[in-house]
Amino acid sequence: HAVIWDNGQIIDLGTLSPNIPSVSSYAYGINDFDQVVGVSGTYAFLWENGLMQNLGTFSALDINKVLRGLLWS
């Protein structure tokens, strides 16, 4: 699973399919607001405030300060 390091603690970001143990997630970008983008299974995600949002069938490669992600299909 994708993780972030926050104040000395590892935070597991989980997956878009938490009921399927074989699904992995990978984080590719984080911005100054602790918003993370990456891939879970075959879907891109945005993670913020403890919630993972499905961005569709893209790969989310990076994110900037104004929440504009670089997506690749």
Side-chain angles (χ1 to χ4, degrees), residues 23-65:
V23 174
S24 298
S25 62
Y26 303 91
Y28 292 117
I30 186 169
N31 67 13
D32 293 341
F33 303 106
D34 292 332
Q35 296 168 313
V36 179
V37 292
V39 176
S40 175
T42 59
Y43 297 96
F45 71 79
L46 167 68
W47 182 93
E48 63 180 330
N49 300 320
L51 299 174
M52 186 178 282
Q53 178 182 347
N54 187 335
L55 298 179
T57 56
F58 298 94
S59 292
L61 302 176
D62 203 0
I63 187 170
N64 66 16
K65 292 181 182 181

